[in-house]
Amino acid sequence: MIVCPKCGKENQDHYKFCLGCGNELPRDTGARGFRSPTPTANPIIDVVRGSAVPGGIPPAAPVPGPFSPADSPPPPVAFPLPPPQAYVPPPVASSPFVVPPPPSPVMSQPPVSRPPSAPTAATCPQCASPNPRQNRFCLTCGFDTGSVSQAPASAPDPTPETLPPPVAAPQVPRVAVERARLVLIRPDGTEGGHHSLLEGDSFVGRNTGGVFASDPFLSPQHASFTVGNGTVTVRDEGTLNGIYIRIEQKQPVELHDGDVFRIGQEILRFEAFLPMARQADGTERIGADVEGLVGKIVLVTGRESFASAFPVPVTGLYLGRERGDILFPEDGYVSGLHCQIAVNQGRVTVTDVGSSNGSYVRLHGPRALRNGDFLLLGQQLFRIQTL
């Protein structure tokens, strides 16, 4: 430390001016005295080493030792320096001059914690959505912003000639979204559980589990549903018992040869009477006269087994549990007067006349469904609900 000869303040050895009074500090060892005489300009030859001693300070002669305290050589005499002249700084127009302290070593300074700067927003070049600048991909469209250099916010928009070539957005897996439901309708007409139909293709059947697992009339993979663009399409996957859709009341639905329809628990098939041509030699087949008949209705009892058959006249007929031309008195799901088979200009149609449980026709190919349509899958009734 250097003690200021003017105010007595201690200063570090490398300071030039006193921090207390601004006085110029001495350039040697400060207020401390010397313990050796001021060296001379001419070198003195060291007789022991045989070389010149820089600074002209003669080497001390070897003194045999050890010495007792009484015989110890006297300590060197300190020669005090004359008091330095006081330094008067020149007048300063603004504030008095204060010498800043020298910087401390880097390792001795504690780390300075600075608050993190707020991230600046970067604009996605593909969808123009704002994103944090440190993000690699756009939060809205998934565009790889790291492949395109972002211009500063204050910079003008680049011209079309300077825009980078478009980069294809990365393929992000789409999350399956529920778009429709199969709502189970209990025998008493109340709603049970439901099965979600996700966007895209899905399958239902006995292997699906849930409400489908306990129905032995369902195939393992019974029906497929395609949901997309606001439509729901159902398709029979080649099942044994098929898929039936409920027809609207008072709306005739045409029956073709081999079509199957269902009322209550009764499964019926329409078979048209087609004219039989004569053989090449002119022989005709012997059989009942079919004049005035368009076909017959056959009661299906198994895969290839049939029970009663009922002829369909050109005047049509009615089916029911209590009233009509064809009665099913033991089937409690058939209404008193259930449906009508009619013939109009050679076309055979079936019409539900207002039954409680409805009439159903079996699907042959893909069918677009509407919100509220009813489907018979196995022995269970479902309603389509679009979301």
Side-chain angles (χ1 to χ4, degrees):
M1 303 295 291
I2 301 178
V3 179
C4 177
K6 181 177 181 181
C7 65
K9 181 176 181 59
E10 294 183 352
N11 297 270
Q12 297 188 15
D13 294 339
H14 57 275
Y15 282 12
K16 296 181 179 181
F17 300 93
C18 177
L19 291 180
C21 62
N23 183 39
E24 185 178 12
L25 299 175
R27 293 296 86 216
D28 40 41
T29 57
R32 295 174 297 179
F34 290 97
R35 295 185 180 275
S36 59
T38 303
T40 58
N42 298 326
I44 300 175
I45 302 301
D46 185 358
V47 295
V48 177
R49 299 182 182 89
S51 60
V53 179
I57 302 176
V63 180
F67 299 96
S68 62
D71 300 333
S72 335
V77 180
F79 297 91
L81 294 176
Q85 297 295 328
Y87 171 76
V88 179
V92 183
S94 59
S95 60
F97 175 75
V98 178
V99 179
S104 302
V106 177
M107 297 304 294
S108 63
Q109 296 180 355
V112 180
S113 61
R114 297 181 176 86
S117 59
T120 58
T123 303
C124 175
Q126 177 166 284
C127 66
S129 300
N131 292 273
R133 187 169 294 276
Q134 67 270 19
N135 280 25
R136 173 71 181 272
F137 297 95
C138 177
L139 297 177
T140 302
C141 66
F143 182 75
D144 186 0
T145 57
S147 61
V148 180
S149 59
Q150 295 287 345
S154 59
D157 294 337
T159 59
E161 291 76 15
T162 60
L163 287 176
V167 179
Q171 296 295 331
V172 180
R174 300 180 61 184
V175 179
V177 180
E178 183 185 20
R179 297 299 186 187
R181 291 178 177 178
L182 286 174
V183 181
L184 177 66
I185 305 299
R186 298 191 180 100
D188 60 358
T190 60
E191 294 184 0
H194 73 271
H195 177 77
S196 299
L197 297 177
L198 305 180
E199 185 173 3
D201 296 331
S202 59
F203 297 88
V204 298
R206 203 168 61 248
N207 289 345
T208 307
V211 296
F212 306 100
S214 59
D215 192 343
F217 296 97
L218 286 176
S219 298
Q221 188 167 297
H222 198 93
S224 63
F225 290 87
T226 302
V227 183
N229 299 325
T231 61
V232 180
T233 304
V234 64
R235 180 183 296 101
D236 189 343
E237 293 298 321
T239 60
L240 175 62
N241 296 311
I243 300 173
Y244 292 83
I245 186 170
R246 184 172 180 172
I247 62 177
E248 296 184 13
Q249 295 183 355
K250 309 297 183 180
Q251 296 293 328
V253 175
E254 186 174 3
L255 293 176
H256 300 277
D257 182 40
D259 281 352
V260 178
F261 64 99
R262 179 172 174 172
I263 59 173
Q265 296 292 334
E266 314 304 323
I267 300 176
L268 306 167
R269 188 175 73 182
F270 171 71
E271 296 181 0
F273 287 162
L274 302 176
M276 300 183 66
R278 295 181 180 183
Q279 292 185 350
D281 57 2
T283 306
E284 295 184 6
R285 182 182 296 274
I286 297 176
D289 185 7
V290 296
E291 185 178 355
L293 301 176
V294 295
K296 63 181 178 179
I297 293 176
V298 180
L299 183 62
V300 180
T301 58
R303 179 178 299 182
E304 295 295 337
S305 60
F306 309 96
S308 305
F310 310 92
V312 179
V314 293
T315 55
L317 48 81
Y318 285 90
L319 291 78
R321 179 167 47 88
E322 299 173 350
R323 294 178 293 144
D325 303 291
I326 304 175
L327 300 180
F328 303 96
E330 304 298 330
D331 193 338
Y333 292 97
V334 177
S335 296
L337 185 63
H338 200 101
C339 67
Q340 178 190 16
I341 304 298
V343 181
N344 186 8
Q345 298 180 357
R347 298 172 57 201
V348 180
T349 60
V350 57
T351 305
D352 187 277
V353 295
S355 65
S356 299
N357 296 315
S359 303
Y360 299 82
V361 295
R362 183 169 179 172
L363 300 180
H364 289 290
R367 174 69 176 265
L369 303 175
R370 298 171 301 177
N371 185 38
D373 281 347
F374 288 88
L375 293 179
L376 268 175
L377 303 176
Q379 285 290 81
Q380 299 182 96
L381 179 63
F382 295 90
R383 190 185 77 248
I384 298 296
Q385 179 183 355
T386 56
L387 303 178

